Amino acid sequence: MIAAKASYFARTALGGMWRDPFVHVIAIASLAIALVGFGLARIAGAQIDALVSALGGEVELTVYLKDGTPAEEVKKLEAALAQRTGGVARTVSPAEALGRLSEQLGPQGQALTELGANPLPWSVEVTLPPQLRDLASLQALAQTLRALTFVEAVDYGADALERLAALSKGLKLASVVAFAIVFLTTIVVVSATLQLAIYSRREEIEIQKLVGATNRFVRAPFLLEGMVQGLLSAVLATLALWALVTWAAPRAAGMLGFLALPKGSQLMSTRLMVELLLLGLAMGLSGSVVAVRRFLRV
Amino acid sequence: MIQMFHVTKAFGNDPPTLMDINLDIQKGEFVFLTGPSGAGKTTLLKLVFLAERATRGQVLVSGRNVARLRESGIPYLRRNIGVVFQDFKLLPNRSVAENVGFALDVIGTPRELVRQKALKILKRVGLEHKANVLPPKLSGGEQQRVVIARALVNDPAILLADEPTGNLDPALTVEIMDLLCDVNARGTTVVVATHDASLIERYHKRTLRLERGTLVSEERGAKAALLMVQG
Ligand SMILES: Nc1ncnc2c1ncn2[C@@H]1O[C@H](COP(=O)(O)OP(=O)(O)O)[C@@H](O)[C@H]1O
Ligand SMILES: [Mg+2]
């Protein structure tokens, strides 16, 4: 009996969509557009997150020490930093720092070696373990270090990191807001198409009721229609996104060569596809629940 | 099988359509419900399968007071009552067999069984050769028989027929009436609403007469028909 009903619902829902394809195509298209928007926001967000953590990994925290800091204090700080952060700490002497600098500057750097006194301070460089690479931990650590007597300055590329983190946060917020609007609009579109479906099947509904159909029985095909709309739009959105990233990723990588974006296929994760599917289902079902509640007077 | 006690039905603030109706229809009976157009026949039938609810009084179907039945109980009541609607209520874009099967679909009967049972009942009303035709392609008499088939396909205990011979010529009327008598002979309680005096005269059955919402007489055959003609 359950199987018979399920098969009846499926036939009724698909039959309804088949007989009246235009409105359903519109609903599926608008759902798919919403889902593509969601997918793009997710992909962009993931890329920025990846960028933030990649930059964080490159950034070393450098502690510059005051002139005249005793050598044993430098050693102590090196050891303390290594122990406290669990990372790798290394002392850089003024001579080593000068050598690096002149190397970086190339031929013009030659002049540096001709200076009488080395103007560069002693410093300690720390490569942080992954769990301390976020902005907040870096800021906290820098704060503690600046309070120390011998510390002149602490540098960890704060600017770039802060900007990226803000960007990522802003993007996430914007995508949540945009998504909420799109979600609501889509529910309205889906429920409107189902309102039409309910209207065009009103005779059938009336007769079903007269020959003993329960309210649930009458409603089920419409809920199923909403879910089918959601599923189809998720499939459509996945294909569209896949085409989009395959097309766009190489071009974006060309423009932003230094970022080394992953390939298009890697941008479309399984997780994202599952999210699209569930989201499509949720939107389709919400739309049909709204329609059935409001327009199906059974 | 069907009992009414002091039943009144009023639509809004209009004067009541039915007033203080008392009746008792036994299991297996065949009863005519008659009266001029607008007397309240259709409304009375609707009270039985809860297309309308009584304003006052009690309606008992198989001993259950349906006036008190919850919304959610209505479908189960209707599955036990076959109704032949005056306006047929056939879906024009579904085949005859699908229309008949509708009453089985809603109770979750498997598709093949629906088809099988629909064909069987169509055979009984002499329409098995029209199973795959759309209703608008049928004559009035054939459509009427499809509606009767749909009402019977569930094997209900009660059959309510509203003007089942309404616009049919005499030969077809006899055909339909014979079919309803046959259904009754197999044990189904049958109530036929009609304003056709000749029908009542020819078939000597218990006849309840409604006039302006009140039951005014209860006769049989020629006597009932005479009352009708006298108005
Ligand atoms: N849904 C309704 N709303 C208002 N009045 C109604 C409704 N249904 C029936 N009536 C009124 O009830 C009276 C009886 O109608 P009906 O039962 O169809 O009579 P009959 O079937 O004997 O011709 C009519 O005057 C009709 O206008
Ligand atoms: Mg009537």
Side-chain angles (χ1 to χ4, degrees):
Chain A
M1 194 160 115
I2 289 167
K5 277 188 184 170
S7 125
Y8 181 83
F9 295 151
R11 275 181 284 136
T12 309
L14 296 177
M17 294 177 83
W18 188 249
R19 264 191 290 277
D20 205 359
F22 184 66
V23 286
H24 290 96
V25 165
I26 290 191
I28 290 167
S30 52
L31 271 167
I33 289 168
L35 290 175
V36 167
F38 168 79
L40 284 178
R42 291 285 284 133
I43 290 172
Q47 287 315 297
I48 289 194
D49 280 352
L51 206 58
V52 168
S53 67
L55 284 186
E58 277 169 17
V59 167
E60 288 177 328
L61 183 112
T62 310
V63 186
Y64 298 102
L65 299 166
K66 285 180 180 155
D67 272 349
T69 305
E72 65 269 26
E73 287 296 338
V74 179
K75 282 282 146 218
K76 251 198 235 164
L77 185 64
E78 185 191 322
L81 272 172
Q83 202 206 342
R84 160 128 188 226
T85 62
V88 182
R90 214 179 129 262
T91 303
V92 179
S93 70
E96 188 184 346
L98 191 66
R100 272 195 213 163
L101 192 57
S102 72
E103 205 170 291
Q104 269 174 26
L105 293 177
Q108 291 115 25
Q110 224 35 50
L112 285 172
T113 52
E114 283 147 28
L115 283 171
N118 187 342
L120 296 176
W122 283 84
S123 60
V124 180
E125 290 176 355
V126 193
T127 308
L128 294 163
Q131 67 267 24
L132 290 179
R133 281 178 197 169
D134 63 294
L135 194 59
S137 315
L138 279 166
Q139 276 169 339
L141 185 59
Q143 199 69 32
T144 328
L145 289 168
R146 283 192 191 108
L148 297 176
T149 334
F150 298 111
V151 172
E152 175 77 48
V154 181
D155 182 19
Y156 55 89
D159 262 16
L161 267 183
E162 266 163 20
R163 251 182 248 153
L164 268 177
L167 183 63
S168 144
K169 212 170 167 185
L171 200 76
K172 271 176 193 155
L173 188 70
S175 66
V176 165
V177 170
F179 180 70
I181 294 169
V182 170
F183 190 89
L184 290 179
T185 322
T186 311
I187 287 174
V188 171
V189 172
V190 171
S191 74
T193 62
L194 286 171
Q195 182 186 4
L196 289 177
I198 289 168
Y199 183 75
S200 74
R201 296 222 292 270
R202 63 195 182 286
E203 261 191 307
E204 184 181 330
I205 293 169
E206 183 203 351
I207 296 170
Q208 282 179 327
K209 295 288 295 175
L210 285 172
V211 299
T214 58
N215 288 347
R216 264 195 243 173
F217 184 91
V218 174
R219 287 179 180 140
F222 294 103
L223 298 182
L224 197 62
E225 256 178 59
M227 278 161 51
V228 171
Q229 284 185 354
L231 274 179
L232 288 180
S233 63
V235 170
L236 207 62
T238 305
L239 291 177
L241 269 174
W242 184 78
L244 211 60
V245 293
T246 332
W247 177 82
R251 282 161 186 76
M255 284 191 314
L256 313 168
F258 58 96
L259 288 181
L261 281 172
K263 286 211 177 65
S265 53
Q266 286 166 296
L267 287 170
M268 285 296 294
S269 63
T270 316
R271 183 175 158 181
L272 180 59
M273 288 194 237
V274 171
E275 279 178 6
L276 288 173
L277 204 70
L278 292 179
L279 204 62
L281 267 182
M283 292 198 291
L285 192 59
S286 315
S288 51
V289 167
V290 168
V292 161
R293 283 257 173 92
R294 283 190 54 196
F295 307 117
L296 196 58
R297 295 261 164 269
V298 287
Chain B
M1 201 72 187
I2 303 172
Q3 290 164 295
M4 294 194 179
F5 299 104
H6 304 296
V7 168
T8 294
K9 174 67 190 175
F11 293 99
N13 291 323
D14 296 348
T17 295
L18 293 172
M19 271 170 294
D20 197 34
I21 302 289
N22 293 285
L23 60 79
D24 186 353
I25 296 170
Q26 300 289 312
K27 188 170 192 292
E29 248 192 307
F30 188 119
V31 174
F32 282 123
L33 183 62
T34 186
S37 179
K41 304 181 292 293
T42 298
T43 305
L44 193 145
L45 293 183
K46 282 181 174 174
L47 293 179
V48 178
F49 63 98
L50 284 190
E52 296 289 351
R53 290 210 185 240
T55 310
R56 274 192 297 282
Q58 321 232 316
V59 179
L60 270 62
V61 178
S62 312
R64 277 187 77 185
N65 188 356
V66 299
R68 296 263 167 75
L69 196 65
R70 281 176 297 124
E71 277 303 302
S72 58
I74 295 177
Y76 305 95
L77 170 76
R78 289 183 181 164
R79 292 173 192 183
N80 224 0
I81 303 176
V83 183
V84 177
F85 302 97
Q86 192 169 1
D87 56 351
F88 297 170
K89 296 197 189 296
L90 292 172
L91 286 172
N93 54 357
R94 303 292 175 88
S95 75
V96 162
E98 283 173 333
N99 267 286
V100 171
F102 231 58
L104 293 170
D105 286 329
V106 303
I107 56 172
T109 310
R111 196 182 184 184
E112 307 72 48
L113 197 57
V114 170
R115 174 95 188 156
Q116 206 179 309
K117 284 192 172 179
L119 289 179
K120 195 172 155 206
I121 202 83
L122 279 171
K123 189 166 181 190
R124 189 162 151 211
V125 302
L127 280 179
E128 73 271 39
H129 59 293
K130 301 278 185 175
N132 300 318
V133 176
L134 297 178
K137 301 244 148 102
L138 299 180
S139 72
E142 287 168 331
Q143 289 186 27
Q144 187 65 260
R145 281 184 283 163
V146 175
V147 181
I148 294 173
R150 184 182 61 197
L152 292 177
V153 75
N154 247 340
D155 212 2
I158 299 171
L159 180 71
L160 306 176
D162 197 356
E163 309 276 5
T165 60
N167 347 307
L168 301 183
D169 62 50
L172 286 174
T173 298
V174 170
E175 211 172 275
I176 297 292
M177 281 307 295
D178 287 349
L179 182 58
L180 293 177
C181 289
D182 173 57
V183 169
N184 176 240
R186 297 188 193 200
T188 304
T189 308
V190 177
V191 181
V192 177
T194 181
H195 62 262
D196 183 350
S198 68
L199 210 63
I200 285 161
E201 186 173 10
R202 180 146 11 93
Y203 296 85
H204 195 77
K205 305 284 188 188
R206 183 180 167 206
T207 302
L208 304 173
R209 181 170 169 75
L210 267 177
E211 237 168 67
R212 274 180 253 107
T214 323
L215 274 180
V216 290
S217 67
E218 193 181 323
E219 290 295 342
R220 275 173 189 270
K223 214 165 170 187
L226 189 65
L227 278 171
M228 279 184 76
V229 177
Q230 288 172 343

